[in-house]
Structures are given as C-alpha cells and as structure tokens.
Amino acid sequence: MKIIDKYLLQNLFIGFLAAAALLLPLFSTLDLVSELDDIGGDYRLIQAIEVVAMTLPRRMVELGPFIALLGGIAALGQLALTQELNTLRAAGISAARIGLSTVLAGALFAVALAAVDEFAASPLQQKAIQLRTHALASTEGNGKDGSIWGRKDQQFVRVGGLRLGRIPTHIEIFSFDGNQALKEYLFADYADIESEGLWQLHDVTVKRWVEGNETVEHLDQMTWQSVLPETRLQDVALPANSLSSRQLYHYIEFLKGTTQPAAQYEVALWEKLGTLLLTLAMILLAVPFSFSQVRSTGLGSKLALGAITGLLVYLANQIIVNLGILFGLVPMLVGTVPALVMLVFSISLILQLDRKR
C-alpha cells in the first residue's frame, strides 16, 4: 500500500500544481484590472503590479479549497480515464482507502497553506495595503487611511489615520463621567509615540464642561497615556483577513480587555481553521467525482462541475460567515461549522460508493 499511497500523492500534488497554475494567474489578472481604476498620481502601474504580486500568497490561501477540489478531480479523474482507479478497486482497495490517501495529500497541502498564511501571506498583504494606502493618500492629498478606535474605562479615543503608516493623526479623545455625560473632549493634530505607551500630542485643543460651563484651552504639546494596544499601531488599522493568527489573537485579547466588540476578529481567527478543514473536505469531494461513470462524464465536464461546486461552496460559506457576524452567533461555530458539514458530507459520499459496490 505504501507504493500506491506514494503514487496517489504524486498525482494529487501534480494536480494541485496544475490547478494553482490555472487559477492564480486568472485571479491575479482580475485583481490587477480592479487596481487599474485607482491608478493615477503617485499610484502608478508598477506599484499596482507590485501590490498584486504581494497579495498573491493571500490569494493562494483563499483559493486553497478550490485548488484542492480541482486538483483532486484532475488527478483522480485522469487515473479513472486510464482505468487505474478501477484496477485498484478490483484489487480489493476500497474507495474509503483511496480517500484516506487523498486526506493525507489534503492534510499536507493544508499545513503548507497554514504556513504560507502565517509567515508569507499576512506580512506581504499588510505591506501591500500600506503601499497602496500611502500612494493613494498622497494622490488624494490627505493622510487618512481609516479610523482606529480604543476604549479604557470611561475614556474613548479615535485616531483618524496613520501618516506614513506610523504617525497617528486627527486624534480625538472623549472622557465621560459616571453618569455617561461628556466631561472632556480633546483634539490633537498628530502625535509622536514614545516609550511605555506615552504619546506626545501636538497642536491640542481641550474642551471641558464643569457644571454647565464650557472652557477651551489650546496647547502646543501635551503628554497622554495611550489606551491603544502596545502592538504596532498600524496592525490595528488593517482589515481582519490580513492579520496572522498571532496578530488576531493579541488584538482580540486587547478588545476584550477594553470591553469592545471582537466578534469580527474572532470569526476571522476561526475561519483560518475552517479553511484548513474545508480544504480536506474539498479534496475528499474529488473522490466521488472521479468514480462517476467515465463514459457519461468526461474529465472536462467533471472539472466544470467541480468549479461550479467550489464556487457555490465558497459563496455559501461567505454568506454564513456574514450572517453569523450580523446575528452575533458563536464565532467558533460560524468559522468552522460550514467546513465540518462539508467534511461530513464528503465522507458520507465516499462511504456510499463502497456500499453500492
């Protein structure tokens, strides 16, 4: 069986490479076309190409289940066309045993995707976002790249954006009393981040309300103890899907510690596990596709049907995730249950092949 396992693994990984070689250039071209609309000023074509190239590992991770399905269908389908799968079954090897070999290939592929996600896709995507943001901000004549919110006790802070990816700008600080009445409002044009969480605020306006009376004070500089996380501030401004598992975990801990909603980031963290499980489910789904009647369904038709199935699974998963966030469902279930359901469904189809034999 070791020889057969190695032979199946070899063919499956060739199938993965073929599927990746087909899908990645296609989706990268679509990404580049979408970037062309924003080209102008300091954001040039060469930068757009660089952004698309840096997001290529993230695209591969996102397409991982799709690659597993199409690569598995291509590899096993070719073996079915040459009657090798039928020979294996005639020799007493069950569809479940062949499925076990595909699971091994899928597990190795999933582990590789997880490593790419953690150590390549996330860092490169973050650099791409920062490159794109800085170029567009310069073109549009402003330094804002999205608001950042923080909270500690009765103090709320809003950072309007990050200049050069590291200098907080347009800072607003709201302080409330025990009756939830606003007692102090502070606005600073920008800040220099110092050690131990201290910020040196510049061009500061402070408004205070005491017994119905308002006072306004203007300061050139002011020291403020930040309530934002000690991690890199630019990480906080990045979208959840661009963060690595470690970044998500630390930011979730910060949000929970400051009683802020963290569901979106928790779902993003569990989705990483869900993607790996979905990859296993899709490679297993390739087995029943391959055992269908070769004469009635050619390899091209199987690949087309697999592509449609993969697209429907992807859309269903995205709908479930967004509905889960909207209705406040348990993040662990939102991120993993769709993949688990698909995994059980794929296993049941393989077991049904053996019962029909």
Side-chain angles (χ1 to χ4, degrees):
M1 288 301 298
K2 290 184 178 179
I3 296 176
I4 295 175
D5 288 336
K6 290 181 180 179
Y7 183 67
L8 289 174
L9 287 175
Q10 179 182 347
N11 281 273
L12 285 167
F13 276 102
I14 292 174
F16 295 158
L17 290 175
L22 173 66
L23 294 175
L24 292 180
L26 173 61
F27 280 86
S28 295
T29 301
L30 295 176
D31 290 339
L32 181 59
V33 170
S34 67
E35 291 293 325
L36 294 179
D37 293 336
D38 295 322
I39 289 178
D42 289 341
Y43 190 53
R44 304 178 186 278
L45 177 61
I46 187 63
Q47 290 176 305
I49 294 174
E50 187 177 354
V51 166
V52 171
M54 285 192 290
T55 55
L56 190 60
R58 169 62 60 200
R59 182 63 69 187
M60 184 177 72
V61 172
E62 292 175 346
L63 293 173
F66 210 177
I67 292 173
L69 176 60
L70 293 185
I73 293 175
L76 297 178
Q78 183 61 37
L79 294 179
L81 285 174
T82 58
Q83 301 299 318
E84 291 176 84
L85 285 185
N86 289 335
T87 302
L88 291 177
R89 298 198 73 189
I93 300 175
S94 65
R97 183 62 184 82
I98 295 174
L100 187 61
S101 296
T102 64
V103 166
L104 178 58
L108 293 174
F109 184 53
V111 170
L113 287 178
V116 170
D117 185 9
E118 190 72 14
F119 301 109
S122 294
L124 286 175
Q125 185 182 7
Q126 291 166 22
K127 290 182 180 179
I129 292 172
Q130 292 166 9
L131 171 64
R132 186 179 189 276
T133 298
H134 296 163
L136 290 177
S138 176
T139 298
E140 296 165 3
N142 65 76
K144 297 183 180 180
D145 62 356
S147 296
I148 305 168
W149 285 88
R151 173 189 176 184
K152 185 176 183 181
D153 300 326
Q154 299 300 314
Q155 190 176 74
F156 296 79
V157 58
R158 173 187 173 273
V159 177
L162 296 177
R163 185 186 304 160
L164 303 177
R166 55 184 175 81
I167 302 174
T169 62
H170 302 90
I171 304 157
E172 295 180 286
I173 303 171
F174 307 84
S175 298
F176 296 83
D177 60 22
N179 297 320
Q180 303 301 315
L182 182 64
K183 66 177 183 180
E184 182 181 86
Y185 169 76
L186 183 151
F187 176 85
D189 185 53
Y190 70 97
D192 294 322
I193 300 178
E194 301 178 351
S195 59
E196 298 180 356
L198 294 177
W199 287 18
Q200 191 68 30
L201 305 179
H202 297 269
D203 194 8
V204 184
T205 300
V206 182
K207 292 184 179 181
R208 296 185 179 93
W209 291 268
V210 180
E211 297 180 353
N213 297 318
E214 177 182 309
T215 61
V216 180
E217 183 180 7
H218 298 281
L219 303 172
D220 292 332
Q221 293 186 359
M222 175 180 175
T223 301
W224 174 65
Q225 181 67 47
S226 174
V227 303
L228 291 170
E230 296 296 332
T231 55
R232 296 187 310 162
L233 189 60
Q234 55 264 43
D235 291 347
V236 181
L238 294 168
N241 65 352
S242 70
L243 300 178
S244 67
S245 299
R246 290 172 296 176
Q247 290 173 317
L248 284 170
Y249 175 78
H250 291 306
Y251 190 45
I252 289 169
E253 290 298 306
F254 162 73
L255 291 175
K256 288 183 176 179
T258 55
T259 65
Q260 297 184 69
Q264 178 184 359
Y265 295 91
E266 289 183 292
V267 170
L269 181 59
W270 283 107
E271 264 194 297
K272 292 183 181 294
L273 176 60
T275 298
L276 302 183
L277 294 175
L278 189 58
T279 300
L280 294 178
M282 298 302 266
I283 184 62
L284 278 176
L285 191 60
V287 176
F289 267 98
S290 303
F291 277 112
S292 61
Q293 293 297 323
V294 177
R295 293 181 180 178
S296 61
T297 308
L299 183 56
S301 300
K302 292 178 183 179
L303 288 172
L305 185 58
I308 295 173
T309 302
L311 179 61
L312 292 176
V313 170
Y314 173 80
L315 292 176
N317 187 60
Q318 292 301 307
I319 291 172
I320 292 172
V321 166
N322 286 289
L323 288 177
I325 296 175
L326 179 63
F327 292 106
L329 302 180
V330 180
M332 181 180 68
L333 298 180
V334 174
T336 60
V337 165
L340 287 173
V341 170
M342 197 65 198
L343 184 60
V344 172
F345 175 69
S346 300
I347 293 173
S348 66
L349 288 180
I350 293 175
L351 295 178
Q352 189 176 4
L353 285 175
D354 286 329
R355 286 196 297 267
K356 286 182 177 180
R357 186 180 178 185

